[in-house]
Amino acid sequence: MESEVKKSMTEARKSLKLPVYEGLLAEKTGVVLDIGTKYTKYGIFGSFQPKGFVMSQVKDPHTGKVRSLYDYKDADDLYALLIEFIRKIFFKYFVTSPKDKRIVVVESVLTPTVWRNTLAKVLFKHFEVLSLLYLPSHLVSLCTLGINTGLVLDIGYTEATLLPIFEGVPVLCAWKDLSIGGKSVESHIRTLLKNEVESQETPNPHLVTVEDIENLSESILEDIKVCSCFVTTKERHDEILENNPDHKYPNNFLYPLKSGKKIPVSGLLRETAFEVLFDLDLDMLNIATMILDSLVCVSRDMKKPLAENILLTGGTSMTPGLKYRLLQELRALLESSAYKDKLFIKNFKFHEFPAKENYVAWLGGAIFAATESYNKRAIQKDAYLNNNIIPDWCNLSVNLPSG
Amino acid sequence: MAFLAQQEAVIIACTCGSLKPVCRTYFCRHCFVIRCGNCVSNEVDSIYCAFCLDNVTCEHSLSVRSHTVRETTPQPQQPPVSKHATPSNRAYYLACFFCRWTSRDSNIPDQKTASGSWPERSNTHSTRLNVLLDYYKSIGALEKSNINIDHQSYMKYLRKPTHLLEDQFGFSANVRKQKVELLKKKNLILTDPHSKITVEGSVPTDEIEPLSEDFITKEIDLLSIPKLEQRFNISDLQPDHVSQLMPYHKRLMVKQSQRCRECEHNVCKPEYNPSSIKFKIQLSGYFCIPEIRIISYTPLIAGQVSEITFKICNQFKESTTIKFKQLPPKNSEEDLSYYKTLKKEILLTDNLHKSTILMEEARIQEVTTTGQLDLPKCELVLPPRDDAADCDDLADNQNYNDDPKIVIWRKCNKVGVRMQITPNPDLTVGSMVKVGFLLNFTYTNTLSSTLENKQAPQIIPVDVKMFIDVGVLSDETEK
Ligand SMILES: [Zn+2]
Ligand SMILES: [Zn+2]
Ligand SMILES: [Zn+2]
Ligand SMILES: [Zn+2]
């Protein structure tokens, strides 16, 4: 009698644990994340385009303010932000629980250790994922082309990073980075807009004021950048520098704001906003010199194959005209005294991706994740919990099967 | 009600260290500890469509398409289907009544049936990408097989950190030779005609398309340029003109349920899915933990005693006895043992008992109190919540031996308690006076008495740290 009561009780307890809905992810698959400084790309193993893009930001659980993931104060702060973010990605966008899922995170080779460790802790300890693999973004970008030598220049939101890869091995000593990218273009647009508004003689009530420009949100600057700005050709840029009176600027337009006011966007702004990428900074660096300086660093037999296998990735590199201008700048610099006798190369060649540049690294991760290599290299939950160690990236990255 | 309780003046510390208002906590009936969103595991309970509120069994919700226009007008979720052509040879296309978009604008062919089977668009590069995927899959498989010893020794060589430095310091002749040999062997395997693992690499080009003249000559038509958000919705195309926008899938919504991480019982299970309605579980801390609210207080002046009145309310269906204790000193052993969450060790080495309970470190949020509360020494008994008695004015028969200095009134399950508060003397005017104490209440476990052997109900004392933002310090001179 007593045993029967106990039995029925255990039955009752069991039924309390209702079956879990498996979600929209199939059993064997997993999730690839590329958490960029501005946008995070997320999608499923072996798929050819990300399921979506989402801003890399969350509402702070304490203050309710929207904060970028990369603005973290310390590891604990980052831990809280990442929990919110990963929760949003899985429950809102994947409509599934991350528990017992396979995860790939595509990251830059120079991602800070605290970031990598905190993300692993969030995924394993809080969300109890099955396995996790970090893949270096520059290296996996090659997977989208089927090659194993290439000079990968990633122009993102806050910085441009460059890493040559030779026969599948990253040439770390030729790593270059420069803190220019989409963000510097946007702040340049703000400066240009301010100048334009200030130069107006009679204030027009329909147009924005200098204060309006100062308070303009980043999303509006981004929209102006995306919908109207482009990288001009070297010839036209030289014309602007010479103040050539025959130079015909592109059309002006008025960008309407929700407040009813309008922002006057000039042709000059549209054409020159992206020049920050090509202007030489105090150290005489721009994105073109990054490539050449890196080629100077590598050994002589690598120079030609790398120069003829340039990969341009990152959202900012999608700007119309950027690739053409970069090639023009590279060719001009090659003739300059600074590089003439150092490089022994004649030409530069670029690759075309079977994807959009802003998710190339994600795509490389998704392809790699679909192979057997994933299971071999990923950190399993048990292993992580036993020693709490995330192997350094070089242990993983150089194991890439890229020939 | 939820709004009242969400006023974050009274905050409780969860077992895991997070600070939450009481309505944001759970109380696990099996472990008798407080849980919060940070220390429960979330699960997908059911999936539903946010527009028709049907659950996932409604197949159509998976294929509902929509699109957006610039400066988005309200988006119809299920564009009405319009009939077209003659009855004998009917074809259908989708049309939006709001923005006049039709599926023909996106070059989607008309369909024979009205109910859909609208074609899925596939990635334009899918042929090439499939080739690449197959290539890397076969390398992966090759790598997995044990034949590939040379490859492994190559890996072993690469794992040594020295190879990363070799470019910097130049190869020693010996190492270089070794590397070349290994690379050769490796390439032999990969290019072996019998294994047939090859892929045509992408061909680089130096013929880059120059900037289109359109950028310079054409006017900007904002209405025809999609926003980034709209481009990202079609991630493989990311069109730069609205005419290329495509319909995309609407996301389904998820109803989550929460499970205690220690005992794996549900602490919250919503009733959305009809199949689970009889198992609705709602163990909100609000229904178990005595609720404390500030009724009134005399002006708070630094270093001086003021009077404060709390209302303490028992929302639980059993009576409870509460005691007040001082907070243990910070980071003392007692303090740390309070955060005993998920204390179970993982038994991973034991293969027979593979426990999957995870340890997540407590995330203790520091709180600095800026005032002293004179806590009553006596116990207070609160009767169970009784919704009927709430309306009954005569129910106030007082059989409790209350100290009238402390208990100023009683009504059903509520009691008014007066305490003395002293803000810290060094506090500046206008800053928040925050006090904290340890509330000890008894929880009556009715679960054990009904199911197990008809024992007397188990009474468990539970400690909960409370932090109260009383109010801002006022100026002495203003009085
Ligand atoms: Zn908690
Ligand atoms: Zn629906
Ligand atoms: Zn519409
Ligand atoms: Zn429990």
Side-chain angles (χ1 to χ4, degrees), chain B residues 7-152:
Chain B
Q7 298 279 315
E8 300 198 352
V10 180
I11 295 284
I12 71 172
C14 173
T15 330
C16 72
S18 312
L19 299 176
K20 301 265 162 173
V22 69
C23 58
R24 291 277 172 80
T25 60
Y26 307 102
F27 187 82
C28 179
R29 286 197 292 190
H30 302 271
C31 323
F32 314 114
V33 288
I34 296 160
R35 296 270 174 236
C36 71
N38 287 339
C39 56
V40 292
S41 54
N42 288 277
E43 276 168 8
V44 174
D45 193 62
S46 57
I47 289 174
Y48 65 100
C49 164
F51 303 104
C52 65
L53 295 182
D54 201 348
N55 70 39
V56 75
T57 48
C58 94
E59 275 291 314
H60 80 274
S61 60
L62 283 168
S63 56
V64 168
R65 290 137 191 282
S66 184
H67 65 284
T68 44
V69 280
R70 203 179 172 79
E71 290 306 341
T72 43
T73 47
Q75 299 161 32
Q77 299 322 322
Q78 285 158 273
V81 177
S82 309
K83 280 181 207 155
H84 174 72
T86 56
S88 58
N89 188 20
R90 265 185 192 163
Y92 296 88
Y93 63 91
L94 296 171
C96 173
F97 284 166
F98 287 87
C99 63
R100 301 218 150 267
W101 171 89
T102 69
S103 52
R104 291 168 167 190
D105 293 346
S106 299
N107 288 324
I108 298 168
D110 291 356
Q111 293 298 302
K112 288 267 178 280
T113 53
S115 57
S117 73
W118 293 95
E120 282 295 325
R121 202 181 45 80
S122 64
N123 192 308
T124 38
H125 300 288
S126 52
T127 327
R128 166 70 177 160
L129 287 166
N130 270 317
V131 171
L132 283 169
L133 190 62
D134 288 343
Y135 168 68
Y136 287 107
K137 271 186 175 163
S138 29
I139 293 183
L142 184 78
E143 207 182 86
K144 204 190 169 196
S145 67
N146 291 325
I147 318 158
N148 195 356
I149 302 158
D150 286 323
H151 184 78
Q152 280 178 359

Side-chain angles (χ1 to χ4, degrees), chain A residues 18 49-50 62 79 91 124-126 128 144-145 223 251 308 347 350-351 354 356 358 377 385 403, chain B residues 38 70 123 125 128 132 143 186 202 205-206 217-218 235 237-238 254 261 269 358 360-361 365:
Chain A
L18 293 168
Q49 68 268 328
H62 302 302
Y79 190 76
F91 286 102
F124 279 120
K125 292 198 170 176
H126 191 86
E128 305 177 57
T144 61
L145 298 170
D223 197 32
N251 291 307
E308 293 187 355
N347 203 2
F350 291 88
H351 279 279
K356 294 286 172 193
N358 55 4
R377 297 198 172 78
L385 296 173
Chain B
N38 287 339
R70 203 179 172 79
N123 192 308
H125 300 288
R128 166 70 177 160
L132 283 169
E143 207 182 86
K186 195 173 172 224
S202 152
T205 174
D206 57 355
T217 52
K218 274 200 176 164
S235 52
L237 293 179
Q238 296 181 33
V254 68
R261 278 190 146 194
K269 196 161 173 60
L358 292 188
E360 197 186 6
E361 288 91 359
Q365 280 170 269

Side-chain angles (χ1 to χ4, degrees), chain A residues 232-398:
Chain A
T232 190
T233 58
K234 193 163 169 52
E235 297 84 21
R236 285 182 60 89
H237 177 65
D238 291 340
E239 272 179 26
I240 297 172
L241 285 184
E242 290 158 13
N243 281 323
N244 190 331
D246 296 338
H247 184 82
K248 189 182 167 294
Y249 281 110
N251 291 307
N252 305 339
F253 73 103
L254 292 171
Y255 185 94
L257 291 178
K258 281 216 174 75
S259 63
K261 287 184 176 179
K262 289 191 167 91
I263 307 174
V265 183
S266 69
L268 175 84
L269 183 146
R270 292 180 55 200
E271 193 164 3
T272 57
F274 274 92
E275 287 309 316
V276 281
L277 301 181
F278 295 98
D279 288 340
L280 292 168
D281 66 3
L282 292 172
D283 300 319
M284 297 301 279
L285 295 173
N286 67 11
I287 56 170
T289 66
M290 271 174 88
I291 293 178
L292 296 174
D293 290 341
S294 174
L295 287 171
V296 169
C297 295
V298 299
S299 60
R300 196 163 164 174
D301 54 339
M302 293 182 192
K303 286 188 207 294
K304 188 170 178 282
L306 286 175
E308 293 187 355
N309 282 288
I310 299 175
L311 286 74
L312 266 184
T313 73
T316 304
S317 68
M318 288 169 74
T319 314
L322 186 133
K323 212 188 239 188
Y324 185 74
R325 172 72 180 279
L326 182 61
L327 187 63
Q328 285 186 317
E329 292 283 337
L330 284 172
R331 283 181 177 154
L333 280 168
L334 200 58
E335 298 305 313
S336 72
S337 56
Y339 297 100
K340 204 169 184 190
D341 303 319
K342 285 185 189 165
L343 278 172
F344 321 103
I345 40 177
K346 287 186 196 75
N347 203 2
F348 300 94
K349 282 183 181 172
F350 291 88
H351 279 279
E352 286 282 346
F353 295 100
K356 294 286 172 193
E357 285 84 348
N358 55 4
Y359 68 88
V360 161
W362 176 90
L363 179 64
I367 291 177
F368 186 86
T371 67
E372 295 276 2
S373 315
Y374 174 81
N375 288 330
K376 204 178 154 193
R377 297 198 172 78
I379 315 149
Q380 302 294 322
K381 180 161 75 178
D382 298 357
Y384 176 79
L385 296 173
N386 276 339
N387 45 27
N388 275 317
I389 290 172
I390 294 296
D392 201 55
W393 71 272
C394 56
N395 291 344
L396 301 167
S397 62
V398 292

